[in-house]
Amino acid sequence: MRKIALALALSAVPLPLFAQDAPDVSLTRIDCGRATQPIALGGFGDTGASDGMTRDLVVSCYLIRHGDDIMLWDTGIDPATSGDPDGGFSMGAALVDQLAQIGVTPADVDYVGISHYHYDHVGQAREFPQATLVIGSADWAVIEGGSPWVNRDLFVPWLDGGSPVRQAGGDLDLFGDGTVKLLAMPGHTGGHHALLVRLADAGPVMLTGDTAHYTSNYEHDRVPTFNDDRADSLASLDRFKAMAAAYGATVVIQHEPDDVSKLPAVPEAAH
């Protein structure tokens, strides 16, 4: 069944991938957190393969320029929780301060794309209250519903109706030209998404969100115990890998230190 579903998913992906006259697109990595100590990995796999293992993980955010439009992908941890042992991550400069290095102010950001609602991906979203929030519809329903797993204060600009929310029920071609596309990868959460960014020189880049957290879990299809749905998680891993192979994409696992270094950090950019 997984193979059938995968074939159907791939057949639905339109080619060519992007319009030839698309605006210039660039992609910059922003460091948004680092583990305060090696993280115990037992919960990152439900088969026991990771029991007793520890390793360092990072939190990464991304700035995408699409012509005159600016999008952030994930917003890292809340600086107020930096160094908190319960959160497990610390950070140096806040996201707003790092953007200032390249002349980007909060008011310049048009879109805040969120892979999913977990704390280490949404911590600085409210710093961009005028932006359109782009998020999976199932995840937005969890946020609106007042889940104890979500800090609603981080989403006040959108919950109070003052700023727009663009919900993605499935894949979403944000600009309509194939260059920046949210990819529905449910499992970790119900509305979880990855991101495809098509660069003219560097080629396609696929950002995992939390489709996988580090390389061995990605390679061996290991599913964390805290994922919402195991079957969906495995189907999403299948789809993500098949798309990456079909597009010849550079895969960036957002919590994997070796992977995030594939992309230049502020103030540099990949084009």
Side-chain angles (χ1 to χ4, degrees), residues 155-172:
F155 295 97
V156 166
W158 303 280
L159 286 170
D160 68 7
S163 296
V165 179
R166 187 169 179 183
Q167 299 183 48
D171 290 356
L172 175 63

Side-chain angles (χ1 to χ4, degrees), residues 11-270:
S11 66
V13 177
L15 295 174
L17 190 59
F18 67 104
Q20 295 301 312
D21 58 351
D24 290 338
V25 179
S26 67
L27 176 60
T28 295
R29 170 173 55 90
I30 305 172
D31 295 327
C32 287
R34 181 170 293 274
T36 54
Q37 59 184 359
I39 292 176
L41 300 181
F44 286 84
D46 62 4
T47 64
S50 302
D51 289 357
M53 297 172 58
T54 63
R55 63 164 301 160
D56 291 327
L57 297 177
V58 298
V59 179
S60 56
C61 309
Y62 300 87
L63 174 76
I64 298 101
R65 292 183 185 268
H66 177 276
D68 293 331
D69 292 308
I70 294 178
M71 174 191 183
L72 289 174
W73 177 247
D74 285 341
T75 65
I77 67 169
D78 183 345
T81 69
S82 179
D84 185 336
D86 291 334
F89 292 101
S90 63
M91 67 180 302
L95 181 52
V96 167
D97 293 334
Q98 294 189 67
L99 292 175
Q101 297 179 33
I102 52 175
V104 174
T105 70
D108 295 327
V109 176
D110 301 290
Y111 299 93
V112 172
I114 298 296
S115 61
H116 63 295
Y117 56 76
H118 288 167
Y119 78 100
D120 52 325
H121 293 259
V122 303
Q124 297 170 77
R126 63 185 168 192
E127 301 299 327
F128 308 94
Q130 80 300 322
T132 297
L133 183 71
V134 186
I135 190 169
S137 55
D139 277 15
W140 183 243
V142 170
I143 295 168
E144 284 191 306
S147 167
W149 296 105
V150 178
N151 181 355
R152 288 170 58 88
D153 289 345
L154 301 176
F155 295 97
V156 166
W158 303 280
L159 286 170
D160 68 7
S163 296
V165 179
R166 187 169 179 183
Q167 299 183 48
D171 290 356
L172 175 63
D173 186 351
L174 186 60
F175 299 107
D177 58 13
T179 57
V180 180
K181 190 171 184 180
L182 279 77
L183 305 173
M185 298 286 168
H188 186 59
T189 63
H192 180 272
H193 280 71
L195 189 72
L196 168 67
V197 181
R198 182 71 179 229
L199 302 172
D201 297 329
V205 176
M206 290 177 64
L207 306 174
T208 59
D210 279 359
T211 306
H213 292 79
Y214 51 93
T215 301
S216 62
N217 271 20
Y218 178 81
E219 292 176 343
H220 299 290
D221 295 340
R222 294 176 184 147
V223 177
T225 59
F226 45 83
N227 276 22
D228 279 3
D229 189 286
R230 191 175 202 279
D232 283 351
S233 297
L234 290 170
S236 290
L237 277 164
D238 272 355
R239 182 179 187 232
F240 188 98
K241 292 180 183 181
M243 293 180 75
Y247 298 155
T250 297
V251 172
V252 177
I253 302 171
Q254 291 182 216
H255 286 298
E256 171 62 76
D258 290 339
D259 264 31
V260 301
S261 63
K262 296 174 184 176
L263 293 173
V266 168
E268 304 300 325

